[in-house]
Amino acid sequence: MAQWTSAVGAAQLARQLNAQQPRPAGPGTRKPPAYRALADGIRLLVLEGRVPVAARLPAERELAVALAVSRTTVAAAYEALRAEGFLESRRGAGSWTAVPAGNPLPARGLEPLPPESLGSVIDLGCAALPAPEPWLTRGVQGALEELPPYAHTHGDYPAGLPALRQMLADRYTARGIPTMPEQIMVTTGAMGAIDAICHLFAGRGERIAVESPSYANILQLMREAGARLVPVAMAEGLTGWDLPRWRQVLRDAAPRLAYVVADFHNPTGALADEDQRRGLVDAARSAGTVLVVDETMTELYLDADVDMPRPVCAFDPSGSTVLTVGSASKAFWAGMRIGWVRAAPDVIRSLVAARAYADLGTPVLEQLAINWLMSTGGWEQAVEIRRTQARENRDALVTAVRRELPDWEFDVPRGGLTLWVRTGGLSGSRLAEMGERVGVRVPSGPRFGVDGAFEGYVRLPFTVGGPVAEEAAVRLAAAARLVESGVNNGAEAPRTFVA
């Protein structure tokens, strides 16, 4: 019986390998032989989670043709990976990826570190902040007071609690977007909302246009749903979308869905202006593409003079093109898994009907907590705490990175939770690997792209501040020095922290 559970094609693996930047050679070091560079590249893809564990690799001859190298080079690379524990083989079954005994399995998304690791590792992998107390506690207490009437029911509300649907509809109406509760479905976080939308609108093999870069966890969700991702490059810096590129992709590829983050884009922090929003809605309508707009960052403007544009759905009065996704997880707390979809009533009915075969509904107590916060003014006060935390963390991290890593380049976003950093020619994948050795966890750029793009970037979230932000920058600089020196991948690197 074969030990592999998935397969990686030769062309796909070649694209990912060719997108990697070569490891810089340290002073006096020689360029590694071709087989060693190939083995290192495959190992990095496995450690990054971009090639899954237990994935069958192409046959030696197939990969040699795709990479335009000799079969001997591929055979030697595979043999090196077997010796290091990153590859297993059996005659007749092929070769598949593995991790050596004692190594943690790589994460394919951006899951937070387990609590027991937080004392020794600075986690810059997950863009989430601690709860804005005392409002989490007050919200839960308020929910408990309102729970008894619901406890006498079956507790299943596939569309969400009526009170929360009304509250969310009223909030959209207050933003100038007339909305009825029939246009709202409450979900288990924004991920639950987008998962439901993908299953309803985009079956296996359907095209979905995505920003490039885009949010890593959503890209992975879409891949696992069988979608064919069509990347559309963002405009330079923080200027938002490149509308001519979007028009061309929507016209030529005719994707069933397009997924965008208009407000403080994850990971770049860009804020799309009103002309871009209007233009993208018009282009999507003309192409027959459903536009999924992620608004999870919309309340996280960090500078007082930010002039927020109207929501994207304001430019779709008929409701036929735009589906809006919101969430409490970024603006309030990641542990509060409440999201929602705003769409035309017939779309909401279809989503609710399909939900019967998924999760049935969202936890009642958490819905009551969010409804209590929004109805008492607690939500606004909690979000203001969140803005203050993120603003202070952003400023501390920017100062520390500029001091410790002056060659790294970035634009400072005026909202959101993330800094998108060009790493001065260093490999983001190797920085992530070396960061684990010196006690800082950072996601590399390729996690946010399609097929290996953005190797020269990392994403830094505003999750730490003060002395911790300074220490994070010091550890990132140590990781950069290890990458620059060409530390042997198999050797133990010096550690700058006490476990």
Side-chain angles (χ1 to χ4, degrees):
M1 179 178 177
Q3 302 298 306
W4 48 274
T5 57
S6 62
V8 181
Q12 177 188 357
L13 184 57
R15 285 196 302 272
Q16 291 180 291
L17 289 166
N18 288 331
Q20 292 179 335
Q21 292 174 301
R23 184 178 63 199
T29 61
R30 295 180 179 179
K31 182 180 179 180
Y35 86 88
R36 182 69 261 173
L38 176 55
D40 289 349
I42 294 174
R43 183 185 54 78
L44 271 176
L45 292 174
V46 173
L47 289 172
E48 277 274 285
R50 289 184 283 131
V51 168
V53 175
R56 186 179 185 273
L57 294 186
E60 294 170 3
R61 188 185 305 277
E62 293 175 1
L63 186 57
V65 171
L67 291 172
V69 300
S70 71
R71 183 177 176 180
T72 302
T73 297
V74 177
Y78 279 14
E79 182 57 37
L81 290 168
R82 276 189 288 269
E84 295 162 7
F86 286 95
L87 197 68
E88 296 180 9
S89 304
R90 196 175 69 220
R91 186 178 298 277
S95 299
W96 56 91
T97 56
V99 292
N103 281 37
L105 287 175
R108 299 197 70 189
L110 300 179
E111 298 85 354
L113 280 173
E116 61 269 18
S117 300
L118 294 178
S120 59
V121 179
I122 298 174
D123 186 8
L124 297 181
C126 187
L129 289 162
E133 289 288 30
W135 294 105
L136 173 62
T137 299
R138 292 181 183 176
V140 173
Q141 290 172 340
L144 288 171
E145 293 175 0
E146 297 178 2
L147 181 62
Y150 295 93
H152 293 292
T153 73
H154 49 63
D156 287 337
Y157 296 89
L161 293 184
L164 182 55
R165 295 176 75 194
Q166 182 68 62
M167 175 61 66
L168 293 169
D170 290 347
R171 290 175 68 86
Y172 276 106
T173 300
R175 293 170 65 191
I177 315 298
T179 304
M180 306 178 294
E182 292 80 9
Q183 291 177 262
I184 301 291
M185 180 177 84
V186 181
T187 62
T188 307
M191 293 287 288
I194 294 170
D195 182 60
I197 290 169
C198 287
H199 280 89
L200 180 63
F201 284 93
R204 298 193 70 84
E206 292 276 7
R207 294 185 181 93
I208 301 180
V210 295
E211 297 151 328
S212 184
S214 187
Y215 179 34
N217 286 338
I218 293 297
L219 294 180
Q220 190 59 35
L221 181 155
M222 292 174 175
R223 289 188 188 102
E224 294 185 357
R228 298 163 61 190
L229 301 184
V230 182
V232 186
M234 295 288 289
E236 288 298 317
L238 299 176
T239 53
W241 300 321
D242 185 331
L243 269 185
R245 288 181 179 175
W246 271 103
R247 292 191 187 100
Q248 180 179 355
V249 167
L250 295 179
R251 181 181 65 248
D252 296 347
R256 185 71 182 90
L257 288 179
Y259 168 76
V260 296
V261 184
D263 302 315
F264 309 117
H265 174 261
N266 185 356
T268 68
L271 177 65
D273 62 31
E274 290 208 357
D275 287 341
Q276 290 173 327
R277 295 169 190 236
R278 181 184 294 105
L280 187 55
V281 171
D282 289 345
R285 184 183 297 113
S286 298
T289 298
V290 176
L291 192 60
V292 182
V293 180
D294 185 332
E295 281 194 341
T296 54
M297 299 283 188
T298 192
E299 296 189 70
L300 291 179
Y301 51 88
L302 304 184
D303 298 327
D305 59 343
V306 174
D307 186 13
M308 289 299 295
R310 286 178 290 171
V312 177
C313 58
F315 304 98
D316 180 38
S318 68
S320 61
T321 300
V322 176
L323 308 183
T324 302
V325 172
S327 173
S329 299
K330 295 297 185 185
F332 186 76
W333 184 47
M336 190 65 76
R337 305 303 304 160
I338 299 295
W340 52 88
V341 180
R342 180 199 180 274
D346 61 319
V347 173
I348 294 298
R349 286 193 294 271
S350 296
L351 288 169
V352 171
R355 193 174 193 180
Y357 306 101
D359 64 353
L360 294 178
T362 302
V364 169
L365 190 63
E366 293 185 21
Q367 292 186 71
L368 288 172
I370 294 299
N371 189 63
W372 185 90
L373 288 165
M374 289 181 171
S375 63
T376 61
W379 176 266
E380 283 69 25
Q381 295 185 60
V383 171
E384 187 55 44
I385 292 172
R386 172 66 75 244
R387 291 191 194 109
T388 301
Q389 289 175 321
R391 183 186 310 114
E392 292 174 352
N393 288 358
R394 177 197 63 181
D395 296 346
L397 188 63
V398 165
T399 299
V401 172
R402 283 178 170 165
R403 181 183 65 245
E404 299 294 334
L405 293 150
D407 293 337
W408 288 18
E409 301 173 28
F410 53 85
D411 294 307
V412 180
R414 308 194 68 193
L417 290 172
T418 57
L419 200 65
W420 184 237
V421 181
R422 184 182 289 110
T423 56
L426 299 181
S427 162
S429 297
R430 291 187 171 89
L431 281 166
E433 180 190 12
M434 294 304 171
E436 295 278 356
R437 298 189 182 195
V438 299
V440 59
R441 181 173 182 255
V442 57
S444 68
R447 286 186 176 273
F448 304 88
V450 177
D451 279 344
F454 306 109
E455 184 61 66
Y457 289 80
V458 293
R459 189 195 74 170
L460 305 180
F462 315 143
T463 52
V464 296
V468 181
E470 294 178 7
E471 178 62 18
V474 168
R475 296 184 186 186
L476 284 171
R481 287 193 294 272
L482 291 176
V483 174
E484 290 171 337
S485 67
V487 167
N488 186 293
N489 289 316
E492 179 65 22
R495 295 179 180 268
T496 62
F497 68 99
V498 178

